[in-house]
Amino acid sequence: YSLGLYEKSMPNTLTWAQKLEIAKRAGFDFVEISIDETDEKLSRLDMTTAERLELLTIMSRSGIRIETMCLSGHRKYPLGSADTQTRERSLDIMEKAIILARDLGIRIIQIAGYDVYYEKSTDVTRALFADGLQKSVALAAKYGVMLAFETMETEFINTVEKAMYWVDKLHTPYLSVYPDSGNITNAAVRYGKNVLDDVAVGRGHMAAVHLKETVPGKFREIPYGTGHVDFVSMIRDTYAMGVRRYMAEFWYVGQSGWEQDIYAANLFIRNQFIEAGI
């Protein structure tokens, strides 16, 4: 299996060469780039050809690559927005992200499972989302890059089962599921269901798994081992389903000793694989 490190686990002030070196030194196999809703991250979609070639060179020299993308910029510019200009911006972001992934050799783009975020979800926003998603998948097929749903903290797509509704509806090899283990665990607790039953619904369509810790009602910044996610069972079941790509999701929030936290995260997760018999 391959274990990746989320870019946001490191200070944003670091260069890509530094981020890749730290990830490699800590024992990770790849890095996941963040394209979030900030102007700074969205500007990456407009990197020049020279900048893209430079980043490829940095990856080649470092011996570790950026292999997945977390595309959360659609939180601000959602596919289902009632505003026409926002939807146009949303599709522009999607196409640019897919082309950037193609250029950098990124295999999977994790897309946010929101119809809207800052607006109210309605039948109209869901219908607009469906239209935008179909257009997005056509772009992914054109450039040969896989889109995969992140299971979110909102009701629209917070379980694998809900993500699979759209995967089954579009029925294309360019749309799959990339669940967040913490988010689906919280959803299972909320609905009184078994999270592993939800995971099983994604069999045959799960591109990768985010390994993130949560506690009921809280979705971020929970240290590994202090929450309620059963990583051993999650890893065992998804590995048996054919998943071989996992990603450690946690955040740098200005804490001292952040680099030691990265080493500790790698050790914690690798031990979960060992306990799972892998």
Side-chain angles (χ1 to χ4, degrees), residues 103-120:
D103 290 350
L104 297 181
I106 291 171
R107 276 72 168 160
I108 302 166
I109 299 178
Q110 184 189 56
I111 59 173
Y114 301 124
D115 58 339
V116 289
Y117 185 79
Y118 296 111
E119 304 171 41
K120 182 180 179 181

Side-chain angles (χ1 to χ4, degrees), residues 140-160:
K142 176 182 176 181
Y143 292 103
V145 175
M146 180 182 289
L147 304 180
F149 276 121
E150 179 176 11
T151 48
M152 311 308 296
E153 72 280 14
T154 58
E155 286 292 320
F156 186 62
I157 298 179
N158 59 349
T159 66
V160 174

Side-chain angles (χ1 to χ4, degrees), residues 93-141:
I93 287 170
M94 185 70 82
E95 183 167 21
K96 286 180 176 179
I98 290 169
I99 292 172
L100 179 63
R102 187 273 311 269
D103 290 350
L104 297 181
I106 291 171
R107 276 72 168 160
I108 302 166
I109 299 178
Q110 184 189 56
I111 59 173
Y114 301 124
D115 58 339
V116 289
Y117 185 79
Y118 296 111
E119 304 171 41
K120 182 180 179 181
S121 179
T122 65
D123 289 343
V124 172
T125 64
R126 288 188 285 273
L128 291 170
F129 170 83
D131 180 66
L133 180 63
Q134 190 165 20
K135 292 174 180 175
S136 298
V137 169
L139 289 168

